[in-house]
Amino acid sequence: MSAEEAGRREWRVTGMDCGACAAKVRGAVERLPGVEDVDVALMAERLRLRLDDGQSSPESVEKAVRRLGFGIAPKGARPERPKGGFVLPEGAFPVAEEAADADPAGAAPPEEARPPAWHETAKGRLVIGTGALLAAAWAARLTLPAGVSHWGFILATLIGLLPVARRGFAMLRAGMPFTIEMLMTIAAGGALVIGEAEEAALVVFLFAVGELLEAVSAGKAREGIRALSRLVPRTARLETDGRAREVPAEALRIGQVVQVRPGDRVPCDGAVLSGTSGVDESPVTGESVPVLKTPGSDVFAGTINAEALLRVRVDKAAEDNTIARIVRLVEEAESARAPTERFIDRFSRVYMPAVVGAALLVAVLPPLLFGQPWGEWTYRALALLLIGCPCALVISVPASIASALSTGARNGLLMKGGSVIEAAARTTHVAFDKTGTLTHGKPRVTELEAISGSEADLLALASGVESGASHPLGKAICAEAERRGIAPAPARDGRALPGKGAEAVIGGMTVSVGAPRLARERGALPEALEARVAALEAEGKTVVIVLKGDAAQGFIAMRDEPREDAAQAVAQLRAMGIAPLMLTGDNPRTAQAIGESLGIAHRAGLMPEDKVAAVRAHPAEARVMMIGDGINDAPALAAAHVGVAMGSGTDVALETADAAILRDRVGDVPGAIRLARAAMGNIRQNIAIALGLKAVFLVTTLLGITGLWIAILADTGATVLVTLNAMRLLVFRPARG
């Protein structure tokens, strides 16, 4: 383990219910010596950082977080519940350690606790209590002497302000003096001092309502995470010695066999051993039509078996199944903050002190320089403090990003954070891999012709070389051999020839299966064979030559049909002002036939490094999105401004890419760009709302037109408007725009 990995620490922080809470936790621990790379994930309730134990201890980190009023517990420990706080249920984010400790023979895990309703939380009770006191004080003013109602307003203010002031001073001790809690404490306390108890009580109540709305919003977002985690059943029917028994799904191990009855959710990622049934994959991919599963078919955790009993072999542990990977992508996405969000955070750090300074000048200069009343200008300065709160501005970006990520995940589009959304929105060029991306990636053999020996001998040699191949062409050759009942020739020392084919030793000789250029390089492509290859390639077929040594034994032709929506997706991209391009290692004639049928420009015969060069060859001002599915595409995915992997692609492509398309639809590419553009438009609207309202009320406050309660209403109102505007993205339809 490296020193850097040894210094990585992770905790679970409970009680955070808004972006400002995460910022406070981040700010508190960043100030500790020896702390670096702080990452706070609000929805995952996670704190990660790198810690030098020689300068600060883990206990000092926990103390700093608890001082702010949040609960904190090391990863894997029982979560610490802050008073009245909401704790994300266990199991929402699966981790390997938990699965490893599970007892296969144990009982099913207990059902997760229901999160408290809004009126059961501390913030909910505070709103109800202060609201009741405020209403009682107003009623007293109508029926009782003025002094009684005045004390009622003071009582309502003090009760509502106490928890706010406590948090404000905790932030002050942590080195963060410019927080909304401190501004509220100063403004409401100042209002009491100058005799504006009624306005102070109303301000405190409206602030409590705003905080409650943020908490409810966070609860809704966490409900989405919990719903995602619930897709995987808590138990599985494990088959042992011909009998089935229930075990915790997280305890399943690779190689075990489970039974999935009709109506049950599949508990793991695996392969069907026996049974034929339609499986509803909509919970994972959004695809509404059930997919027929037969022996050998892959199934995903969380999908629903619709028709008949399936026996499924477990191929991935619980922490690596499809749902767990999606959850991890969402978790990573939350941490990948958009450049706009980072800029606003930096801006807020300067903006808050500037507002406090301006309020101080407003309170002091007019009375000193122009003899104006101290009370009046102090009142205006207090209102200015509240107007200056950047809550709506700070939440403007993460609220939109969270809504866009949620909508994308629901529509089979996974994007790894705000930075990816921002980059995708600026896309000007889209480069597609061909096989498995624009085409189905499942070619079938159409022609097979032997030059030396029989067709059966030729297919035995080819399937022997391609045994265990992951490339679609190799799989097609092996499938054809199996269909004809031809056993692959025993092979050893197999290896891939990147961009050209594969070879192995069979019967003491090197046998190669590769592109015509491989045969051409070895001088094994006579004119007659080259003419035959050219004719097949002109029909859009891919031809491979089987060589024994440097002698051609024959050829195999295959065709991979374009996806049904590929041509329409290319047309949509052009309509959006985006230039599409196909990059393929296939031969130029096949590429041209496919390209012409789809209406897309192409570059053919590319090695993996050539695809990288093609991506980088675009003008400096271009923003390139690369779509691919194979190992060979991983370098190009990494080189593009945005790399997108098809959901059925290899693990390497999915890990390298910035985004993933789960439904394997080419039409989801323009959909992802539409969603990204809509999110960035939403962010711009939110920033305009937040700054516009502040500018208007700043002027009216300085002119004495509006006062304290309007100031806090403007701040709370802006926060609510920004949140509601961001929530519009939840009903956005990427397919239609």
Side-chain angles (χ1 to χ4, degrees):
M1 181 183 293
S2 68
E4 180 174 326
E5 290 172 336
R8 297 298 298 181
R9 303 277 184 166
E10 183 172 331
W11 289 267
R12 185 171 176 189
V13 179
T14 48
M16 299 186 295
D17 53 25
C18 65
C21 293
K24 289 165 187 169
V25 172
R26 188 183 304 113
V29 298
E30 279 178 339
R31 287 169 168 77
L32 297 175
V35 171
E36 296 178 338
D37 298 337
V38 178
D39 170 31
V40 182
L42 172 65
M43 292 300 106
E45 298 187 323
R46 187 200 66 229
L47 166 63
R48 282 181 186 160
L49 51 81
R50 196 165 72 243
L51 180 66
D52 181 352
D53 290 349
Q55 299 185 60
S56 292
S57 65
E59 290 74 20
S60 63
V61 173
E62 294 173 6
K63 185 177 179 181
V65 173
R66 288 194 184 100
R67 194 182 294 129
L68 303 181
F70 301 111
I72 182 170
K75 179 182 178 182
R78 190 173 188 83
E80 183 176 285
R81 183 184 293 273
K83 187 176 180 181
F86 170 71
V87 177
L88 193 67
E90 290 296 328
F93 284 86
V95 293
E97 292 84 354
E98 292 172 353
D101 294 338
D103 179 9
E111 289 297 317
E112 59 191 38
R114 178 186 65 87
W118 71 268
H119 55 83
E120 298 173 337
T121 65
K123 290 184 177 181
R125 290 193 295 269
L126 183 64
V127 167
I128 294 171
T130 53
L133 279 171
L134 192 61
W138 273 328
R141 190 172 63 177
L142 298 176
T143 58
L144 299 174
V148 176
S149 63
H150 178 75
W151 284 107
F153 288 124
I154 291 177
L155 182 61
T157 302
L158 293 177
I159 290 175
L161 191 59
L162 182 62
V164 178
R166 187 185 300 122
R167 293 201 304 271
F169 283 107
M171 305 297 174
L172 179 63
R173 289 194 299 272
M176 293 179 286
F178 301 108
T179 61
I180 179 57
E181 286 83 1
M182 185 55 70
L183 296 186
M184 268 297 306
T185 302
I186 295 171
L192 287 179
V193 170
I194 64 175
E196 297 289 347
E198 182 177 352
E199 288 216 34
L202 184 56
V203 163
V204 170
F205 172 71
L206 291 174
F207 181 75
V209 170
E211 284 207 314
L212 178 63
L213 289 174
E214 289 180 342
V216 171
S217 176
K220 294 291 185 184
R222 287 196 176 108
E223 175 60 27
I225 295 174
R226 290 166 51 238
L228 189 61
S229 70
R230 285 197 298 264
L231 288 177
V232 180
R234 302 176 71 82
T235 62
R237 289 174 57 81
L238 178 65
E239 187 177 289
T240 51
D241 301 327
R243 299 176 60 187
R245 60 189 177 89
E246 281 203 356
V247 300
E250 64 180 13
L252 294 175
R253 297 290 179 265
I254 295 174
Q256 291 181 325
V257 177
V258 296
Q259 295 180 0
V260 186
R261 297 169 299 189
D264 286 353
R265 288 187 182 271
V266 179
C268 61
D269 280 14
V272 176
L273 295 180
S274 64
T276 299
S277 178
V279 173
D280 177 7
E281 296 186 342
S282 61
V284 176
T285 66
E287 181 60 65
S288 58
V289 179
V291 179
L292 183 66
K293 301 293 181 180
T294 58
S297 299
D298 292 330
V299 291
F300 307 115
T303 56
I304 303 168
N305 181 20
E307 298 166 359
L309 179 72
L310 294 177
R311 295 176 64 249
V312 176
R313 182 188 66 236
V314 180
D315 285 348
K316 290 184 179 178
E319 64 270 18
D320 292 324
N321 66 37
T322 302
I323 296 298
R325 289 172 66 185
I326 292 174
V327 169
R328 279 200 296 273
L329 278 172
V330 174
E331 183 180 358
E332 291 168 8
E334 189 189 352
S335 300
R337 302 161 74 208
T340 302
E341 183 180 356
R342 291 195 295 269
F343 169 76
I344 287 177
D345 279 353
R346 292 194 301 270
F347 173 74
S348 296
R349 293 175 187 175
V350 177
Y351 172 78
M352 288 280 279
V355 166
V356 173
L360 186 61
L361 292 176
V362 167
V364 172
L365 290 184
L368 287 180
L369 298 181
F370 307 107
Q372 297 292 315
W374 281 95
E376 179 182 338
W377 286 95
T378 300
Y379 179 85
R380 294 184 187 183
L382 295 176
L384 180 60
L385 278 180
L386 297 180
I387 290 172
C389 171
C391 287
L393 185 61
V394 169
I395 202 176
S396 61
V397 178
S400 298
I401 294 297
S403 295
L405 291 173
S406 176
T407 295
R410 199 169 58 250
N411 287 274
L413 307 171
L414 290 180
M415 289 181 276
K416 296 180 181 179
S419 56
V420 175
I421 289 177
E422 195 160 330
R426 298 200 301 266
T427 297
T428 59
H429 295 71
V430 173
F432 291 96
D433 171 53
K434 179 179 75 71
T435 305
T437 302
L438 287 173
T439 63
H440 287 284
K442 296 179 180 178
R444 58 182 181 83
V445 174
T446 57
E447 280 90 9
L448 187 149
E449 189 171 308
I451 297 174
S452 175
S454 66
E455 289 187 357
D457 293 337
L458 180 70
L459 198 52
L461 288 174
S463 59
V465 173
E466 296 289 1
S467 291
S470 61
H471 193 280
L473 297 180
K475 289 182 177 179
I477 291 172
C478 293
E480 182 67 13
E482 184 178 352
R483 188 183 69 81
R484 296 191 183 197
I486 298 172
R492 60 181 176 84
D493 299 335
R495 69 187 186 98
L497 303 172
K500 297 180 181 179
E503 66 180 19
V505 176
I506 297 178
M509 293 193 66
T510 299
V511 178
S512 306
V513 179
R517 67 165 170 258
L518 178 63
R520 198 175 294 115
E521 289 173 2
R522 298 182 179 180
L525 196 65
E527 279 189 28
L529 180 56
E530 182 146 21
R532 180 82 171 110
V533 167
L536 291 169
E537 289 178 344
E539 297 173 13
K541 297 174 182 177
T542 300
V543 181
V544 296
I545 310 297
V546 181
L547 303 172
K548 182 181 286 188
D550 290 335
Q553 303 299 297
F555 67 83
I556 302 173
M558 291 162 280
R559 183 172 173 90
D560 185 13
E561 297 296 333
R563 295 183 187 273
E564 292 75 8
D565 65 337
Q568 184 181 8
V570 169
Q572 288 178 17
L573 289 172
R574 291 192 185 282
M576 295 166 66
I578 297 171
L581 172 68
M582 181 175 73
L583 305 177
T584 178
D586 213 336
N587 65 83
R589 294 187 187 90
T590 299
Q592 182 175 356
I594 297 293
E596 287 178 352
S597 69
L598 299 179
I600 187 172
H602 67 275
R603 291 186 60 183
L606 301 181
M607 304 286 280
E609 59 269 24
D610 297 327
K611 291 184 179 181
V612 173
V615 167
R616 291 176 174 166
H618 288 86
E621 65 275 10
R623 290 294 178 267
V624 183
M625 176 182 284
M626 173 71 192
I627 321 292
D629 76 315
I631 293 174
N632 286 350
D633 300 322
L637 291 172
H641 294 93
V642 181
V644 180
M646 300 298 277
S648 62
T650 64
D651 288 347
V652 174
L654 288 170
E655 293 299 326
T656 305
D658 302 302
I661 293 174
L662 295 182
R663 296 187 293 194
D664 283 348
R665 291 180 179 174
V666 187
D668 283 346
V669 174
I673 297 174
R674 284 192 201 98
L675 177 60
R677 289 181 175 181
M680 294 311 298
N682 192 275
I683 286 171
R684 287 190 288 270
Q685 293 165 9
N686 281 349
I687 293 174
I689 291 170
L691 293 180
L693 281 175
K694 289 187 183 302
V696 169
F697 286 103
L698 174 65
V699 173
T700 58
T701 297
L702 291 177
L703 294 176
I705 300 173
T706 53
L708 277 176
W709 73 273
I710 289 290
I712 192 62
L713 187 61
D715 178 69
T716 301
T719 302
V720 171
L721 285 176
V722 162
T723 303
L724 291 176
N725 189 50
M727 290 176 67
R728 290 193 305 113
L729 289 172
L730 294 174
V731 296
F732 184 83
R733 295 291 176 264
R736 299 195 298 269

